[in-house]
Amino acid sequence: MEIITAAAGNLVTGVFSNMFQKIRRNFSYVCRYARMVSGFEKKVETLKDKRDGVLLDVDAAEKIGENIYPVVNTWLAKADKMIDSELKEVKSLKDEAKNKCFIGLCPNFKARYQLSKKAEEDAAAVDELLQQGAFDKVSYRDVPQPIVVVPPKDFEDFDSRKLMFNNIMEALKDPNLNIIGVYGMPGVGKTTLVKEVVRQVKEDKFFDSVVMAVATHIPDVQKIQDEIADMLGLKFEEQSISGRASRLHQRLKKEKKILVVLDDIWAKLDLMEVGIPLGDEDQGCTILLTSRDLNVLLKDMDAKKNFPIGVLEHEEAWQFFKKIIGDGVESSDLLPIATEVAKKCGGLPIAIRTLSTFLRNEPLFVREDALRQLSKPSSSNFQGVPATVYSTIEWSYDRLQSEDHKQIFLLCSLMGHNASLGLLLLFAMGLGLFHGVSTIKETRDKLLTVVRQLKASCLLLDGNTNMQIDMHDLISDVALSIASKGNPVFVLRRKHDLSDWPDDETMKECGKISYIALIGELKNLEILGIASSDIEMLPEELGQLTKLKRLDLCSCSKLKRIPPEGHSSVQSNSSLAELKALSCLTALEIHISNAKIIPKDFSFEKLQRYIIFIGEASQWDWKWGWVREYSRTLNLNLQTSISFLNNGVKVLLNKAENLYIDEVNGVEILLHESEFGNYFKQLRNLHIQNGEMVQYILKDGDAVQKIEFLQLESLTLKGLPDLISFCSKKEGSTSISPQEIALFKQQILLPKLEKLKLSSVSIERIWVPQAFCSTQNLTSLIIEGCANIKHVLSDTMPEYLQQLRCLEISECKCIQEIISTDKMIQETLKNRALIRFPRLNFLKLKGLQKLIGFCHEDYTVEFPALTILEIENCPEFKGFTHNSIRKNVPSHGAFFNNQVAFSNLKKITISHLRNAKRIWDGQLHTNSFSMLKELNVKECDVLLNIFSPFLLGALQRLEKLKVTNCASLEEVFQLQVQGLDIEETNVVHSQLREVNLVRLPKLKHVWTKHRKGNISFENLQYVFILECGSLKTLFPFSIAKDLHQLERLSINRCGLEQIVSKSVEDSDEREICFAFNQLSFLRLWCLPNLTCFYPGMHRTTWSALKQLKISGCGRIKIFGHEESEIPHPLFVIEKVIPQLEEVSFSRNDISLISDGKYEANLFCNIKLLRISGYSDESAVFPISFLRRFYNLESLELGSCNFKELASFESNACEDKDTIVTIPNIKNLKLDVIKNIRHFWKQDSSFDHFCASLVRLEVWKCDSFINFGLDLSFFENLTTLDVWKCKEMSALITSSKARSLVCLVTMRIRECEMMREVIVSEEDDTPYEIVFSELKRLELHCLQSLTSFCSGSYTLRFPSLEQVTLSQCPRMKNFCQGELTTPKLHKVQLTETDFRGRWAGDLNATIEQLNTEGAEKSIYF
């Protein structure tokens, strides 16, 4: 009890004690409130001072671009709240505490308590803020990021850049590449492309950090270090370059993966001096360089992989130019000028951007002035070309390493595109540009060195051949501007006005002008070139040019003799003795018509370079350009044996690198072994052709163990029908062994042979296995027209063909297989299971009538590098591998099986194969055809389908498919096999973009129906179907629903009933939507059975449709009104018509639209209209319908029976307002207007319609006689095309012909009754007819034509450049009167006859063709 009492007492004591303390504390708040508030206010003032100090630090930091620590900003926010809101609340309580209670007699204890309590709590909070605000730093320097985000206006995603961009991205991911280079000429866009690469790298987070610095032409190492350090947030304390480099090196190595971009490298930059880690241990650092000089990247910077950035392709450049200057340029008169200005930019993006921006919205005269400036460059004419473009090229010029480089660069700018290196050498020597060289060889070596360095600097480009160089237009213009500063004559071009030619005083300053007046006076002349001239005889003074080193007489086809010294031209008309006096001659280019005129004692020993043709020239002889890659070329049109050549020519044979031997008559053995010992030692190319009796090239002798062609790289044997072997059999040998029937024996050694071409030779076998090992460098083997050849390769030979890249075999009727397995091979060699061609990238087999297969099925064949395979017109071909060469053994039926591997094949063409029922077997070699992008199949008559369901996954990269004339083909894509659900195991996302199916009479399905959604052709863009009579539907529903990328669809002359077949799962109550929102072109042509687009409930959208061409689809409702009750029209007029630019309307369509009430602008965008279906002979032209087509430019009338175009609807003729509102068209085409006889009547209202006509085509108008009486609209006509107008006897009368003042092209074809083009009128008074603008005239298949004009008029064609005359058998002359054609120099017998015929003038040429009976060339 006592314990309880004691515990209770303690408890009561404790409770009262706590209560007392609490009361005491609360009472103290009331008593000490003034002191508490004063203390709080003082602390707030301290906080305010602290805050203001922090704000000053923050402001100073922000001014220098530093970032404020987040904790500082948070503290400032809290301090502001304390100073503002909390202080106000305390002051409010302070005012309240001053008030008294009980009529002012008692203090307000409650308010004082609250005030004191609040002041104490806030004072503690202020103390905490003051403690937190003791910042050492309020800010930090952010790590700068390289400015690589390219604004949209700077980076353009050109197609030509995409591949290079992707390649650079791949290279950056290669751990074995630590230095990568990008090079190209100034202004080509290297930096922009690299910045885009960096942007993509950062977006992909492939590197942890990216830094970038610009090196410039004089690299400042300290500046480069600073740029990189700034981006890394690194501050250098060190002052020396080496100390900073060490610090930067340490910092860079802390990054796991870092990309360092160094832009605009001009010369070697020591990366270690900069501090960039480089070495095997520094795999995390990748360096990307840009330069205008490949040599800098390769040699100075040791870049492991380099990517060239070229100029834009013409179409890309134009699209870029047009994008900036505005699309309207194409539809305006500014187009020709704009096109020329764009071309002058040379494909340089910087030039295109600046010029197009400068010229945007400028009038025509400004653009013409810009074109003038660009065409006649000078230092003062480059305001239109930005300083950035001009200065970069000029800067490159100024920094060229020597005066030699500068002079050659300027000289190249004068020579135009694809300039000849040989001609450049002549100019360089003639102008004395090189010093310290004395021979032509030394000068050539020096020139090639300089050219190579200019190419590396991107100031010169490769030409079309190895012996040509090129230069971009913009660089050429800048070069000409630079040159013009010191010599205006240097930059005059052929088409410029000579008014710019300098005056006499200026001419005196031109120090280097070559002018040959008297050839005999040029005693010091070293180079004389009279190439491609009509000169017939060189002057006798030639012998006085004793210092002449080079003489060029190539392509002087009329040169008949070179008169000898001391003799008159009468005494000697065919001698070369004059050349004997030219003792310094080391280079000669000449055609000698007959070897017998070469003096016996004449020596060619001193010649170091020559192109000499001896004999009668044929057309192929005179292609001089490509032979210049050889130092010494000799062409012999012998008509005899080499043995009969004199010693001078034999010297040429001994030194020749490039030898042609042509027309060897009466010779069985071309060369004996004793002669061979002296010839062919330096031969790189040997071409022998047209030897009807030649059996052997060389005669074998007992003393000859081996015959070596140690330098021979290329060998061609052509037109040798009796050739047995390259080397004859030994004397006394009677038996014929397999070796002797082969072209090459074991003793023939060709260690460097790369190209072998055999054409029309009679050999049966090329090699025996023992001889083949000497041709291990063979890269190209072409065999054509060799009727007797049976064996191409044995199964052991491919191991020696490791370098083979091209194999073409065509028109060889005895070849049964490419890899032989005949009895002789089987007996002497072991069977090889694997045949591999590791580098072969092109294989073509064509016209091999007995070819069964490539090899026997016992072999597996691998083509890891093959990209193109063509097998055409091989009717017996059973498959790539076959089981027997006997015809009666059945084949497997599949073209390819798992015994042949094509891991990289991209394009296949197969045609005219009679035995292939299937292209692919059910099982293929691993990864075969996985890269295939294009497949062309033609005239394979037993082929049943193209793709089985097993193959769809393997071929999903296929992009283009074309199948033509396959008589039995029933399916293209077989998506199902009966009884087997293949779709469960195949998920296919096809890349197919283009499908062309032409003339497949039994085709039932392009895609067989399938239910699953795991086979998609969503990338399809283009579909073209023609003449597939059995095809009822085109797309299954499952395919059609995903064709969102389809752009063009053309279906022509098919049995199509529905475009999309009905889905098996579709309910008739559910409406299906087909969205073709990319389709811009739709053609439905001659589809008489087409009844609907889709048989179920559906709607379609065609938001991008621009061109709609429909004709001969009578059973389908094409158009309908939006509120029409007609079920499922193909198009709703209100939705589709306003967006169209081209459309076809039938008579019924026009009636439907004419009856409806539509807005006036319904047809405002239509530019081309085709009208058809007016088959009634009483039909009249619906001209009033055209009122709504405000912007109509082209009108086509097809398959109509209008008798004349002057007859309109009755009310239209009377309504003059109707005629006025009809648009003026520019193009008119009449196609199959059977009853029309005249174009229209005089004073017809149709005149207004055609007032601006520029193009007129009249096709297959059988009754058409002439163009009528009033042809005033002809004044604007530029193109006139007449085809298959049976009744037309003449095109136009002589008086109306005079109105064709703007005509540029006249084409008349297959008008069987036409006797003359221009017919005389009754008043036959002669006068002049001038076709001032006519450039092209084509007269084809005019069986009755006797002349262009039979009247005695004067015909003038000042602009005529091209006349094509074919199948006009009765044409005896062009005209009877005077004729002038100053620009015409040939008459072409076909469009591809570029050489043509010419007898001095047009009349004489036609008369000559008629006289000499050229029917085989012209008439047949």
Side-chain angles (χ1 to χ4, degrees), residues 65 80 150 175 180 240 256 300 316 377 430 550 637 777 786 790 834 848 978 1027 1061 1117 1132:
D80 287 338
V150 183
I180 300 165
S240 67
K256 291 182 180 180
D300 296 334
E316 280 184 329
R550 175 176 176 133
N637 194 315
N777 289 308
C786 298
K790 297 178 180 178
L834 176 64
L848 308 179
Q978 189 172 4
E1027 295 182 14
S1061 60
K1117 188 65 179 178
V1132 174

Side-chain angles (χ1 to χ4, degrees), residues 310-356:
V311 298
L312 300 180
E313 299 291 338
H314 172 70
E315 183 60 28
E316 280 184 329
W318 171 243
Q319 292 299 326
F320 186 30
F321 186 93
K322 186 177 67 173
K323 177 181 177 181
I324 298 173
I325 205 168
D327 288 336
V329 70
E330 284 195 325
S331 60
S332 69
D333 295 333
L334 303 176
L335 179 60
I337 299 297
T339 305
E340 289 301 315
V341 170
K343 287 180 181 178
K344 296 302 293 183
C345 292
L348 287 174
I350 188 173
I352 296 170
R353 178 182 297 283
T354 313
L355 270 176
S356 54

Side-chain angles (χ1 to χ4, degrees), residues 1163-1174:
F1163 305 100
C1164 63
N1165 290 316
I1166 293 179
K1167 297 179 181 179
L1168 186 150
L1169 171 64
R1170 189 180 194 275
I1171 295 176
S1172 62
Y1174 283 81

